[in-house]
Amino acid sequence: MMEPQHGDRPHLPGPSLYPIAFAAGVACILVGLIVSPLIIAPIGAGIAVFFGYLWARDATKEYRRTPAPIEPEGAGTDLVTAPPPPPEAAMAEPEPGERFPRSRFLEASTLGLGAVIGGLVTIPVIGFMVVPPFKGQGYPTVDLGPLENFPEGKWLITTFAEHPDQGLVSHRTVFVRNNGLLNNEPSFTIIWNRCVHLGCPVQPNGPVQPDQKKVVTVSKIQQISLTPTLPAGGFGCPCHGGQYDPEGNRTAGPPVRALNRYNYSIVNGRLVLGTPYSVSHVDGTGKDARIHAYKLAGPGMHVDGWEQIFYPVQPPH
Amino acid sequence: MAVAPTRPKKSPGRQKLEAAVNYPLDWLEERSGLIGGLKYFLFRKVPGDTNWFHTLGSATLTAFLVQAVTGVILAMYYKPDPNSAYQSINHITNDLTLGWLVRGMHKWGASVFIILLFFHMARVFLFGAYKYPRELNWIIGVFLLVFGMLEGFTGYLLPWDQTAYWATVVGINLNGTAPILGPFLADFLRSGAEIGPDTLARFYSLHMLIIPGAIFALIGLHLYLVVRLGVTSPPWSREAAGGLSAGADYEPERDGNGRAGLTQQRARGTR
Amino acid sequence: MASIDERRAGFKQYKEDVKRRGKPFFPYAMFHDTVMSLVVVCVIIGLACVWYFTSSSDPNACKSDWGSCTLGPRYAEPADPGTTNFVPRPDWYFYFLFYLLRIFKWPDTVILGTVGIPTILLIILLVIPFVDTRRERRLYRRPVAIIAAVLVVVSMGVLTYKGATAKEALASEVVQAVPTWAQRQGFADNKDAVAGATVFASSGCTACHTYLGTGSSNLGAPDLSAIGKGGQGPAFFSQYVTDPSKFGNNVMPKFAALGDVKLHQLGEFLSASKGPK
């Protein structure tokens, strides 16, 4: 079944290959989403759309038969004795020699233009709704103040503003402990206080000294508040009973991994907070800890074990 | 309109009054058909044994309308920005005239709405009013339940106090644990990787525009189906319309080919 | 299961019955609707009034006095993403889902509680009309429906209640109970025991243990109100808390970091906890 209008040399693959090519296109999309969303996925989309169209056109060929002609009502026709009119068709039979009757063209172009209008309006709107949450989601560095504010071996509840221009909504809290020197560099344990079950604020299992709170002004718009605490029993979450040890490992309850931690750097004798990352578990304590680190994942998402297949891709952070 | 065949003759004054009232209604009816529609809705027949349980649906609608009206009024004073939301709620509750009442009605109306939703659903379920031909209505009702609870969830964030903020953190992260698409759904709801200033605006838009729009549309469909398909009698009623007092022993009369088709019911009184 | 023909016949019969013997919606049914709507509006207004007049504009005023704030405060403190002492809770109609999350406290099962069970329940709700195609509506002939309805109501009620009463002990709140404990247990004159009670209250012990009605037993730890009755003495308890694994307890964390002074005070407190007088 070759396309007659293209003459003897068909340059499209035979019809039975269309479904296979379509499936290949879909597979290409899926692979591209994981490997290279910007290049391979659109190529796959193009292949899928092109061969999908050819397949659909081929499959519906026998249903697109020409419609029956409309009998016009004659002026002198006796309505009682006239035969019942044949089923009205939407389109007139094409004239001999005419391949695309005008009404069919009008129908197709009306629907097509409608689709274009729909797309023109919807795509920017949907894009505006969906794309901004995923762009520019970084974690800026935060200067937490001079190292002298972090005595060795002491835990401090440290609260700072991640984006000072946004105000109170960007306040974050981390538990910071100075572990002493490791290879002549200060070593810190910096644990984020968001529980990794469902994001509730985790509390230290130990006395807190709010009367010894210190507020350090590091810049015109940034103030760091430091409160000493002694989380002897680790940390606990008030929402659903998750419990962690002082290194952030989960000891009881529903949390699916250890507490998230922050990267840090020492710049000019000041502790500078970097980007957060996720931790499956920590072996050892303090400066000798071996942290099994993963890309930052949301609360409730496993980073290791068999359930990590549920969360293959994380949105950009 | 009573079914009584005879009425006392009306006095000329009354006739003139009725003509004056009817004139604009007829004008409107001739040009739109709306008055006829309204009359059909008001005076359509319903089974005579409908009881108080059947009022739960309209009670839910009333609660929702209270929410809609109080919500629109609150929107005139509420400021959906993290730096001023809490203060505006404070202002509404403590300073503005009757602001406490409108906010209180909105806050408690939400709970009453949800309770009535569940009561109405239980009533429909126990009356078997989800069966043919009302299956579509039941499905629309389930969607209304989901949207109603989502409306409560999105509205809970708006006062921007501690309870609001943290309940929303947990709720969004709950969605995030769904496989594969969960993290993206969570980021979409939060408008970012963490709750930020855009989150409140997004939830406000959801709470004010998107979800109420969907609820209004679904309620319209739901009511249309109720009017079209009719209201069921209580299942314990003796004179139940539809005759299902004889339901379980319903034996269709079959023709020679064993097909039941549309048959006559047996006379009532046989069990 | 009734065939579609039988169901259509039933509906046709219904329409004829209503046409013959039905009553107009207005005023017969609409009257009931209007009365019920009035009740609903009055209930909403009544709740709003009680809520407003039993609370104050200070969000913290409700915590101290149990008589006021019958329906809760007007608002809580402003949102603080950096807090470490707040106990999050959803709105009351989500308590059943909230408690479901506390039931599934093993990490591998978390996804069941968060999305698994709610999704399954929603799907069941949606397909009810397609699973039950009988024409039967009389309740005494629908045992499955009755049992399902009773189970759903009871379980949602129990889950909601347990969600409402699930208490997580915030250190700042538990500490306020220390004088009451001292009085009830009779160690008010033992300075070390009172200090130990404060350490106990602020170290998260009540996240796993219950003590004189405070705390949570969600994770299976024993109640400590009368733990000192056995007469083991303060030193035993100090050593236990320092390293529970030495006594065969590998679940409880080691509290060695509290330091000798605090551990000694804890030991005194636990030893003096012989049960309320």
Side-chain angles (χ1 to χ4, degrees):
Chain A
M1 286 202 292
M2 303 301 183
E3 302 278 343
Q5 62 267 33
H6 290 290
D8 292 330
R9 274 194 317 126
H11 56 267
L12 291 170
S16 57
L17 287 181
Y18 294 159
I20 299 177
F22 174 74
V26 170
C28 193
I29 294 176
L30 291 173
V31 166
L33 279 177
I34 298 190
V35 167
S36 166
L38 288 175
I39 301 176
I40 301 192
I43 293 178
I47 298 176
V49 164
F50 178 61
F51 284 104
Y53 165 71
L54 289 175
W55 182 20
R57 189 175 71 160
D58 197 53
T60 59
K61 206 175 265 195
E62 59 253 32
Y63 298 105
R64 285 187 277 118
R65 48 167 184 264
T66 52
I70 305 175
E71 294 276 285
E73 267 181 309
T77 310
D78 186 346
L79 289 172
V80 175
T81 57
E88 275 186 24
M91 303 173 290
E93 182 171 347
E95 305 284 315
E98 186 186 81
R99 262 190 303 115
F100 290 110
R102 178 170 166 76
S103 59
R104 204 184 280 182
F105 168 75
L106 285 177
E107 278 184 23
S109 52
T110 305
L111 291 173
L113 285 176
V116 168
I117 295 173
L120 281 176
V121 172
T122 318
I123 289 182
V125 168
I126 300 282
F128 179 53
M129 181 169 77
V130 170
V131 172
F134 301 101
K135 275 185 64 174
Q137 298 300 321
Y139 289 87
T141 55
V142 180
D143 178 6
L144 289 181
L147 285 173
E148 291 76 45
N149 289 333
F150 300 93
E152 186 174 324
K154 297 261 182 284
W155 283 95
L156 286 165
I157 303 176
T158 309
T159 306
F160 56 94
E162 207 164 64
H163 301 272
D165 47 306
Q166 288 176 6
L168 188 58
V169 70
S170 75
H171 271 207
R172 307 279 176 259
T173 295
V174 289
F175 302 113
V176 178
R177 181 184 60 193
N178 185 337
N179 298 321
L181 290 175
L182 174 71
N183 302 330
N184 289 324
E185 281 284 321
S187 159
F188 280 88
T189 301
I190 305 186
I191 298 180
W192 196 356
N193 89 322
R194 291 293 178 96
C195 181
V196 290
H197 170 228
L198 286 174
C200 287
V202 149
Q203 301 164 14
N205 285 339
V208 176
Q209 282 109 32
D211 43 313
Q212 292 178 27
K213 179 163 116 163
K214 204 158 86 157
V215 176
V216 177
T217 308
V218 298
S219 77
K220 262 205 291 258
I221 45 173
Q222 176 76 274
Q223 284 187 322
I224 314 288
S225 108
L226 302 162
T227 311
T229 180
L230 182 53
F235 305 98
C237 179
C239 280
H240 315 100
Q243 297 290 323
Y244 305 90
D245 72 6
E247 286 301 313
N249 287 314
R250 171 226 171 235
T251 54
V256 300
R257 51 180 206 261
L259 286 168
N260 295 336
R261 289 188 176 218
Y262 269 86
N263 287 312
Y264 63 92
S265 47
I266 314 289
V267 176
N268 293 336
R270 303 173 79 86
L271 178 63
V272 175
L273 209 60
T275 54
Y277 57 94
S278 286
V279 178
S280 67
H281 60 281
V282 177
D283 296 323
T285 60
K287 55 182 180 232
D288 303 317
R290 283 171 310 287
I291 306 167
H292 297 260
Y294 293 81
K295 249 180 70 153
L296 184 66
M301 304 180 198
H302 301 251
V303 291
D304 64 348
W306 69 275
E307 284 187 69
Q308 63 176 304
I309 57 170
F310 287 147
Y311 312 105
V313 189
Q314 289 287 338
H317 291 297
Chain B
M1 288 191 301
V3 187
T6 52
R7 266 186 165 164
K9 268 296 202 193
K10 294 186 187 150
S11 67
R14 179 158 174 111
Q15 280 181 344
K16 275 216 194 96
L17 180 65
E18 279 189 7
V21 167
N22 280 334
Y23 180 77
L25 294 178
D26 290 337
W27 184 94
L28 195 56
E29 165 69 8
E30 195 176 335
R31 286 155 184 77
S32 67
L34 287 173
I35 303 295
L38 183 63
K39 273 194 181 158
Y40 175 71
F41 171 76
L42 283 178
F43 300 113
R44 70 188 200 272
K45 296 276 183 64
V46 294
D49 45 4
T50 47
N51 60 18
W52 286 95
F53 286 114
H54 289 94
T55 60
L56 286 167
S58 65
T60 315
L61 177 63
T62 303
F64 180 67
L65 289 174
V66 166
Q67 290 302 95
V69 167
T70 52
V72 165
I73 305 297
L74 283 170
M76 294 185 179
Y77 296 98
Y78 171 74
K79 296 180 181 43
D81 172 62
N83 294 322
S84 31
Y86 185 80
Q87 189 271 334
S88 70
I89 292 283
N90 212 309
H91 190 50
I92 290 173
T93 315
N94 297 318
D95 304 332
L96 296 175
T97 313
L98 294 175
W100 61 270
L101 184 59
V102 176
R103 184 183 165 221
M105 286 174 70
H106 197 76
K107 177 184 160 76
W108 293 104
S111 298
V112 168
F113 176 57
I114 303 265
I115 295 182
L116 288 175
L117 263 174
F118 277 102
F119 279 0
H120 177 62
M121 181 171 79
R123 194 281 294 172
V124 169
F125 179 76
L126 289 173
F127 277 27
Y130 56 84
K131 299 181 188 248
Y132 176 87
R134 301 177 177 91
E135 301 100 323
L136 182 61
N137 222 10
W138 171 266
I139 293 178
I140 293 176
V142 173
F143 278 108
L144 277 168
L145 176 68
V146 170
F147 278 124
M149 297 194 78
L150 281 179
E151 184 79 336
F153 173 63
T154 48
Y156 207 56
L157 176 65
L158 301 184
W160 202 253
D161 60 1
Q162 286 277 59
T163 20
Y165 181 87
W166 291 106
T168 307
V169 165
V170 174
I172 294 181
N173 285 326
L174 262 164
N175 284 303
T177 61
I180 319 273
L181 285 181
F184 295 89
L185 177 62
D187 275 24
F188 167 74
L189 281 174
R190 258 188 244 122
S191 193
E194 296 281 322
I195 291 194
D198 293 336
T199 313
L200 184 57
R202 189 165 284 233
F203 268 54
Y204 190 56
S205 170
L206 277 167
H207 185 75
M208 282 278 292
L209 304 168
I210 302 181
I211 299 182
I215 292 184
F216 270 118
L218 287 175
I219 288 182
L221 210 51
H222 198 73
L223 288 178
Y224 164 74
L225 285 175
V226 168
V227 171
R228 181 188 163 92
L229 299 172
V231 175
T232 58
S233 292
W236 54 76
S237 158
R238 290 263 171 70
E239 346 118 357
L244 200 46
S245 306
D249 15 86
Y250 170 69
E251 270 303 328
E253 287 166 21
R254 296 180 187 278
D255 61 18
N257 294 326
R259 298 173 72 207
L262 299 175
T263 62
Q264 276 288 53
Q265 281 280 17
R266 298 216 177 85
R268 244 156 242 104
T270 57
R271 204 200 191 241
Chain C
M1 292 293 173
S3 77
I4 188 67
D5 290 327
E6 287 163 5
R7 288 184 270 164
R8 285 186 184 134
F11 187 59
K12 183 166 179 286
Q13 179 69 41
Y14 162 85
K15 287 214 281 226
E16 285 166 14
D17 283 344
V18 169
K19 196 160 156 191
R20 250 182 310 126
R21 293 181 288 123
K23 295 192 183 139
F25 174 69
F26 177 89
Y28 289 95
M30 192 152 159
F31 168 72
H32 292 162
D33 285 341
T34 312
V35 169
M36 183 65 168
S37 299
L38 179 64
V39 168
V40 165
V41 171
C42 289
V43 164
I44 294 178
I45 294 183
L47 283 170
C49 291
V50 170
W51 165 74
Y52 180 69
F53 289 113
T54 59
S55 62
S56 81
S57 52
D58 175 12
N60 291 314
C62 290
K63 292 186 189 157
S64 41
D65 186 1
W66 262 118
S68 68
C69 294
T70 335
L71 290 175
R74 293 181 195 176
Y75 31 74
E77 296 275 314
D80 180 9
T83 184
T84 49
N85 59 351
F86 183 75
V87 181
R89 286 289 180 268
D91 215 352
W92 69 268
Y93 44 85
F94 284 118
Y95 278 161
F96 70 102
L97 286 175
F98 159 68
Y99 199 71
L100 207 60
L101 293 172
R102 294 186 70 139
I103 291 179
F104 287 94
K105 49 184 183 247
W106 306 271
D108 290 341
T109 57
V110 162
I111 196 172
L112 266 183
T114 56
V115 292
I117 291 189
T119 309
I120 292 176
L121 290 178
L122 203 55
I123 292 179
I124 291 179
L125 258 188
L126 279 171
V127 301
I128 287 179
F130 304 102
V131 164
D132 177 14
T133 53
R134 299 166 64 208
R135 283 188 63 217
E136 184 61 71
R137 291 196 303 121
R138 290 169 295 184
L139 285 170
Y140 56 88
R141 295 281 190 115
R142 293 168 64 201
V144 176
I146 291 280
I147 292 179
V150 167
L151 273 179
V152 165
V153 168
V154 166
S155 54
M156 281 189 65
V158 166
L159 283 174
T160 304
Y161 171 74
K162 293 203 75 94
T165 52
K167 280 228 156 281
E168 281 302 339
L170 253 188
S172 52
E173 290 171 0
V174 179
V175 158
Q176 290 174 11
V178 165
T180 321
W181 293 349
Q183 195 201 21
R184 287 179 68 186
Q185 299 273 42
F187 59 73
D189 45 357
N190 183 343
K191 275 216 202 63
D192 279 344
V194 174
T198 309
V199 174
F200 178 82
S202 50
S203 300
C205 309
T206 44
C208 295
H209 292 282
T210 45
Y211 188 89
L212 288 182
T214 313
S216 151
S217 54
N218 199 29
L219 294 168
D223 177 72
L224 297 178
S225 313
I227 193 76
K229 232 186 189 157
Q232 293 103 324
F236 167 78
F237 289 111
S238 297
Q239 287 166 18
Y240 193 103
V241 172
T242 307
D243 189 353
S245 63
K246 289 220 180 73
F247 297 84
N249 183 348
N250 289 316
V251 179
M252 176 168 156
K254 309 190 209 320
F255 284 84
L258 283 176
D260 288 331
V261 175
K262 292 201 165 64
L263 284 165
H264 167 71
Q265 289 168 342
L266 257 183
E268 288 284 337
F269 161 72
L270 289 169
S271 171
S273 299
K274 298 194 196 306
K277 304 223 178 324

